[in-house]
Amino acid sequence: MVLTMDSQTKTENCLGWAARDPSGVLSPYKFSRRPLRSDDVSIKITHCGICYADVIWSRNILGDSMYPLVPGHEIAGIVKEVGSNVQRFKVGDPVGVGTYVNSCRDCEYCNDGVEVHCVKGTVFTFNGIDEDGTVTKGGYSSYIVVPERYCFRIPNNYPLASAAPLLCAGITVYTPMIRHNMNQPGKSLGVIGLGGLGHMAVKFGKAFGLCVTVFSTSISKKEEALNLLGADKFVVSSDQEQMKGLSKSLDFIVDTASGDHPFDPYMSLLKIAGVYVLVGFPSEVKFSPASLNLGMRTVSGSITGGTKVTQEMIEFCSAHKIYPQIEVIPIQYANEALERLIKRDVKYRFVIDIENTLK
């Protein structure tokens, strides 16, 4: 009896950094995680990537933030405890957690391993309402408790700091690239925007054997796009001559830009039956019907990915030695990092070293 009482005792044993109000300023915060259930994995967090979602919810940009808010949904760490029914993990295993930590587990999408599209609504890793009514708290924290189903195996030889950004930035571009068969060597891909998502789209494109063209508003990114990331071409999107020269030349476009931008000029670069995938969130999407109809083109949207494709992506990255370009920072620098992210001053993903700096 005493044991059950003990396991239910709520001790504030998790240390995190939280925003307290829409200023979004983060500071140390103690809270409790739920006791381990039979299907849970308790994870000592070593690293957490910084995603634009962290800015959006810490600052209440959508009006639905619940404070205190602990952001972070690109989580990598080590298993520290497993529930009695857990099959896939043991203590000491490297593990990842992405943008969601629960779903109904019973709808057609959950049954197909695309839990992110759960009919009853996925439970997001932070600022979500879990099945027990509690508000989820994310990866800017010392540990997290997540049902096994929503945890990902990270190969032993894959660095945890590099694994973190795969769990949102990586999977957000990998999912639609696989879904639309962009893994056909010799085809051509355009990538719009060269941030956290865009730079991963370039890396995947090259690994798939595609000819990759990067479109950016900023010429300053040209050198790195070509030499560091291995893109084949770089185009400043405002250069109308360069854009005209690429008319009807691309099989696929992955648009990662969240700033407002015109769509017709990019649509005209697609071949007949080309596919344009939008993964960013500009304030509106506007193009002429002719851009779509005359070229028999497809426009498609996407968000992260289900558990099945996420695990596949991690294994693909390990096998092909694909690593995000990261800037590792102490958690004490998180507020500055979020400011820099807003200014797009990061190459190409911040990763917080939780293990060594969250004290």
Side-chain angles (χ1 to χ4, degrees), residues 120 251 293 322:
K120 295 191 178 142
D251 295 288
N293 300 351
I322 297 168

Side-chain angles (χ1 to χ4, degrees), residues 41-54:
V41 177
S42 178
I43 299 161
K44 175 188 181 230
I45 298 173
T46 62
H47 297 86
C48 186
I50 294 188
C51 174
Y52 203 77
D54 302 343

Side-chain angles (χ1 to χ4, degrees), residues 1 40 71 86 93 135-136 169 178 187 230 233 254 281 288 324:
M1 191 61 202
D40 276 338
V86 169
D93 283 350
V135 177
T136 56
I178 293 296
K187 299 261 184 174
K233 295 180 198 143
V254 174
F281 283 82
S288 143

